[in-house]
Amino acid sequence: MTTIRSFNPPIRTLMGPGPSDVHPRILEAMARPTIGHLDPVFVGMMDEMKSLLHYAFRTRNELTLPVSAPGSAGMETCFVNLVEPGDKVIVCQNGVFGGRMKENVERSGATAIMVKDEWGKPVDPNKVAEALAAHPDAKIVAFVQAETSTGALSDAETITRLAHDQGCLVIVDAVTSLGGSPLEVDAWGIDAIYSGSQKCLSCAPGLSPVSFGPRAVEKIKARKTPCQSWFLDLSLVMNYWGGGTKRAYHHTAPINGLYGLHEALVMLQEEGVEHSWKRHTDMHEALKAGFEALGLSFVVPEGSRLPQLNSVTIPQGVDDAAVRGLLLKRYGLEIGAGLGDLAGKIWRVGLMGHGASAKNVVFCLTALEAVLSEMKAPIAAGVAVPAAQAVLAAKGY
Ligand SMILES: *Cc1c(COP(=O)(O)O)cnc(C)c1O
């Protein structure tokens, strides 16, 4: 047998839909000594984690914790705990992730009432209002705030208000929005929310912060049937994360991963979450100026664009896979491809967390222009970087 050696990944610049570049401080935190997950020192770190998550989510919800698995598990945690067999759930779909919500509803034995919008458009609150009026027996409205598959931002505050007016709870996907776009769990009254560690928090993948408000906790406590997932059953997980002295073993926490998330949230607090939102917007403005100078157009209408996920249309005749392949091979730069109907038609360029930087904006524009020029693509040469730089200078970077 050939000797297999240590795995040494190359250094990349991650500007796709996630994972984003992990800050060296976070990698260093993850390399610290592993201790027991019931060690009093570890338990102290978990208590800090909870207040850091309160800060990031802008909530005081007692039931706030990182699920020990990626964003998809946070999604599933919300659905399997809040949805009971026979329930009706209104699911908004304007991209890939709304479709996964539908799967979760149906696998929980409930009926999904779909509110569909075109990929690239935000969720239309009028359609949500119509669905609520047509289905007064619906219990929950579920939607994605930041649709990473297209780059569209939906109005979480308005959709939540409409749902509450009809007595429904909301489940919000904030995997890509947390840390990158304004999000106010308590002020907007969001009942259940999940996120991920590897997007705008710049942490390694594998953890999903979640938070549940009082109405959601009440619904979980009033369940007639036990939650069908043992691992994600919050009534069991709460005994571990619930605080106090009686922490009981549920599963072995991903200890070093949690060190990383703790550091990521400390960094968010140092910067200030509002400043982080602004930095994402500023870098998006600079990248947008560069893309538009190149001649690339945005998929999502102005006003609904996510700063952290920039979708642009691939110019006619340009080979999508060849461009992404060359960016990776020659420059170590990863950008995202389109999904579903948008495969081969768009690129998705992430400016997430630590990666939302002037350095990444200029690097991406430079590398993309070089590759497109070499391929004789119909772009304007020599103008993208100056356009981005003008925006950066005007904003004081
Ligand atoms: C990435 C993402 C997810 C899934 O998160 P994983 O960590 O990949 O499981 C869910 N929803 C949205 C909007 C995402 O961007």
Side-chain angles (χ1 to χ4, degrees):
M1 191 192 140
T2 52
T3 307
I4 297 176
R5 299 187 190 284
S6 303
F7 177 63
N8 280 297
I11 291 175
R12 306 284 200 207
T13 300
L14 302 179
M15 296 184 72
S20 59
D21 280 336
V22 180
H23 194 282
R25 262 179 70 179
I26 296 168
L27 291 175
E28 188 244 323
M30 291 174 73
R32 290 176 194 154
T34 304
I35 59 176
H37 65 126
L38 296 171
D39 187 309
V41 175
F42 189 76
V43 169
M45 192 278 291
M46 285 173 23
D47 288 338
E48 288 183 359
M49 178 84 81
K50 189 159 154 185
S51 23
L52 289 164
L53 286 175
H54 280 167
Y55 173 77
F57 275 128
R58 313 261 257 191
T59 185
R60 300 175 69 92
N61 286 338
E62 184 57 28
L63 188 53
T64 302
L65 58 108
V67 172
S68 302
S72 305
M75 177 188 281
E76 195 144 344
T77 300
C78 290
F79 285 92
V80 297
N81 283 280
L82 287 172
V83 178
E84 281 196 89
D87 281 355
K88 240 188 207 184
V89 179
I90 294 174
V91 175
C92 307
Q93 185 178 10
N94 60 338
V96 166
F97 294 101
R100 292 194 181 176
M101 288 179 151
K102 176 175 187 276
E103 284 277 323
N104 272 274
V105 168
E106 289 171 350
R107 287 175 191 224
S108 304
T111 307
I113 308 295
M114 299 306 291
V115 170
K116 291 199 176 190
D117 279 288
E118 213 181 298
W119 285 37
K121 299 268 161 50
V123 172
D124 180 352
N126 295 319
K127 291 188 189 171
V128 177
E130 280 163 25
L132 282 162
H135 300 277
D137 53 340
K139 301 255 173 73
I140 294 172
V141 174
F143 63 94
V144 180
Q145 186 190 14
E147 222 340 315
T148 326
S149 62
T150 65
L153 174 69
S154 291
D155 182 350
E157 185 178 12
T158 300
I159 300 168
T160 301
R161 182 164 33 82
L162 291 169
H164 287 173
D165 286 348
Q166 298 296 318
C168 283
L169 302 185
V170 294
I171 295 176
V172 181
D173 179 320
V175 176
T176 284
S177 42
L178 186 67
S181 296
L183 172 62
E184 303 278 356
V185 170
D186 283 2
W188 298 347
I190 291 170
D191 302 291
I193 192 159
Y194 59 92
S195 189
S197 49
Q198 80 278 26
K199 309 229 174 163
C200 294
L201 297 179
S202 276
C203 187
L207 291 167
S208 176
V210 296
S211 185
F212 296 84
R215 283 173 300 237
V217 172
E218 221 172 274
K219 190 166 191 319
I220 294 168
K221 287 191 174 150
R223 280 186 73 101
K224 290 182 212 75
T225 51
C227 167
Q228 73 266 31
S229 165
W230 178 85
F231 186 67
L232 301 175
D233 183 344
L234 285 169
S235 62
L236 304 175
V237 174
M238 272 187 265
N239 291 333
Y240 178 66
W241 275 98
T245 48
K246 290 199 306 265
R247 278 178 206 273
Y249 167 69
H250 177 262
H251 65 275
T252 308
I255 294 153
N256 293 60
L258 289 167
Y259 298 164
L261 182 60
H262 183 277
E263 190 70 14
L265 292 167
V266 164
M267 290 178 68
L268 182 70
Q269 199 175 45
E270 283 172 3
E271 178 179 9
V273 67
E274 286 164 330
H275 190 276
S276 178
W277 299 338
K278 179 177 185 302
R279 176 172 50 82
H280 282 84
T281 302
D282 289 346
M283 294 307 144
H284 157 75
E285 294 291 340
L287 186 70
K288 175 173 88 110
F291 277 162
E292 288 177 349
L294 275 176
L296 299 174
S297 51
F298 274 76
V299 174
V300 176
E302 182 127 43
S304 302
R305 288 178 194 155
L306 283 172
Q308 61 274 51
L309 200 284
N310 297 265
S311 296
V312 289
T313 306
I314 299 174
Q316 279 283 316
V318 170
D319 183 341
D320 168 31
V323 170
R324 285 184 294 107
L326 209 48
L327 286 173
L328 191 66
K329 174 173 160 233
R330 196 177 284 157
Y331 303 110
L333 172 62
E334 180 181 283
I335 64 167
L339 293 177
D341 286 350
L342 297 173
K345 296 184 184 149
I346 68 165
W347 287 315
R348 293 181 299 150
V349 180
L351 287 170
M352 296 183 178
H354 165 59
S357 65
K359 173 173 160 245
N360 276 13
V361 167
V362 169
F363 173 54
C364 175
L365 291 171
T366 307
L368 189 59
E369 178 176 328
V371 168
L372 290 174
S373 299
E374 180 178 333
M375 291 183 169
K376 309 262 183 295
I379 52 140
V383 287
V385 170
Q389 274 173 334
V391 173
L392 292 168
K395 291 182 182 292
Y397 286 91

